């Protein structure tokens, strides 16, 4: 990636997407993940529609936002032009926003406590919508990060299923900054495999290739596509 040497004017999001896609294919091949597919979630927080449109024009359809309200302001209009968009919530969810989130998003990657699990189950029932759900794991057990502790993942998944009748599709994590992410990605992959979960959302702009080698099924890329956020 050559972003550091580029001024904001010369950032070409569509070209960045192509380069990332090639990196991912190479990583899959190196890791022997034959037939593996890694979905790129283009993270559009703090990006305005004018910056998102070229990426849509280039064919990108999966997008991530970390705030419900910001997503509500941007995406309904873009969806009218591009109805086949898949929108993923990758930031923390408050239970009083569960109804809005279920209405707007297709995937919620940040299920992280019983109250949210219950609110999502109720709202999906009420709206007759079934979203794909991932549990966020606080993989480095950091105080400042959201997510279920790695030691409590199995019990939380059981609770979601037995108590709320929720089908959880996978796990998501953000490893500690400034550390080798590989052991954390490996731990998340192991937790998912142990629980029979297919989806692994891990890897961001700095470490998506490592995540792909270790089993990611989706990577969440913001600055690597759009350049620095304003
Ligand atoms: C912002 C964000 C990303 C994207 O980060 P980049 O380093 O810009 O690629 C990925 N995941 C989550 C949860 C985020 O909030």
């Amino acid at each position: 990636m050559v972003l550091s040497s580029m001024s904001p004017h010369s950032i070409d999001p569509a070209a960045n997407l192509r380069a990332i896609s090639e990196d991912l294919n190479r990583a899959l091949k190196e890791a022997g993940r034959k037939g593996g597919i890694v979905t790129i979630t283009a993270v559009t927080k703090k990006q305005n529609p004018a910056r998102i449109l070229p990426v849509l024009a280039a064919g990108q359809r999966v997008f991530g936002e970390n705030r419900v309200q910001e997503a509500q302001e941007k995406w309904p209009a873009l969806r009218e032009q591009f109805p086949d968009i898949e929108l993923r919530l990758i930031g923390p969810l408050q239970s009083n926003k569960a109804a809005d989130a279920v209405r707007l998003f297709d995937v919620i990657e940040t299920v992280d406590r019983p109250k949210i699990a219950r609110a999502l189950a109720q709202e999906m029932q009420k709206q007759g919508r079934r979203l794909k759900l991932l549990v966020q794991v606080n993989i480095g057990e950091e105080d400042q990060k959201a997510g279920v502790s790695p030691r409590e993942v199995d019990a939380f998944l059981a609770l979601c299923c037995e108590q709320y009748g929720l089908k959880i599709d996978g796990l998501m994590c953000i490893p500690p900054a400034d550390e080798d992410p590989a052991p954390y990605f490996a731990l998340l992959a192991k937790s998912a495999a142990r629980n029979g979960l297919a989806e692994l959302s891990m890897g961001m702009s700095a470490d998506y290739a490592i995540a792909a080698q270790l089993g990611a099924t989706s990577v969440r890329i913001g600055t690597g596509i759009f350049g620095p956020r304003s």
Side-chain angles (χ1 to χ4, degrees):
M1 191 128 19
V2 289
L3 282 173
S4 53
S5 61
M6 293 166 85
S7 77
H9 311 288
S10 62
I11 286 170
D12 178 347
N16 289 338
L17 261 175
R18 281 195 300 276
I20 291 164
S21 179
E22 280 164 23
D23 284 348
L24 288 171
N25 286 337
R26 203 173 308 125
L28 286 175
K29 205 176 272 175
E30 276 170 18
R33 284 183 63 192
K34 257 206 207 131
I37 293 176
V38 185
T39 300
I40 299 173
T41 301
V43 177
T44 47
K45 63 184 182 206
K46 298 188 181 167
Q47 304 292 351
N48 60 37
R51 306 210 58 193
I52 300 171
L53 278 167
V55 172
L56 279 162
Q60 175 69 24
R61 288 295 180 269
V62 183
F63 294 89
E65 287 280 348
N66 70 338
R67 292 183 57 234
V68 175
Q69 195 179 332
E70 185 182 339
Q72 275 175 317
E73 287 161 12
K74 280 191 282 195
W75 283 98
L78 290 167
R79 252 205 181 124
E80 280 185 19
Q81 286 184 67
F82 300 92
D84 56 340
I85 282 168
E86 178 180 300
L87 202 53
R88 297 177 161 227
L89 179 64
I90 61 169
L93 178 61
Q94 307 301 323
S95 54
N96 64 357
K97 291 270 169 68
D100 290 340
V102 167
R103 212 168 286 125
L104 182 64
F105 289 94
D106 304 291
V107 182
I108 292 179
E109 301 200 356
T110 50
V111 181
D112 65 350
R113 55 195 190 280
K115 197 176 172 188
I116 290 299
R118 189 181 59 209
L120 289 173
Q122 282 173 353
E123 273 307 324
M124 290 197 300
Q125 174 88 25
K126 210 161 147 188
Q127 297 183 29
R129 255 173 82 69
R130 155 99 178 88
L131 278 63
K132 192 181 270 190
L133 301 175
L134 278 62
V135 164
Q136 181 174 358
V137 180
N138 186 356
I139 202 75
E141 304 198 66
E142 299 171 278
D143 289 339
Q144 77 277 19
K145 281 214 179 99
V148 179
S149 147
R151 291 169 284 114
E152 289 164 4
V153 172
D154 298 16
F156 182 68
L157 290 168
L159 180 87
C160 286
C161 173
E162 288 156 22
Q163 193 83 22
Y164 305 116
L166 276 186
K167 180 177 180 302
I168 301 293
D169 301 282
L171 302 178
M172 175 271 216
C173 78
I174 310 167
D178 309 318
E179 269 186 61
D180 176 5
Y184 297 104
F185 291 154
L187 180 59
L188 194 75
K190 215 168 120 183
S191 306
R194 188 174 63 233
N195 287 287
L197 300 177
E199 301 270 336
L200 268 181
S201 171
M202 57 187 198
M204 316 200 321
S205 293
D207 53 21
Y208 60 84
I210 301 165
Q213 289 186 342
L214 291 169
T217 57
S218 65
V219 293
R220 308 177 308 269
I221 317 270
T223 50
I225 297 170
F226 296 102
R229 283 178 284 273
S230 46

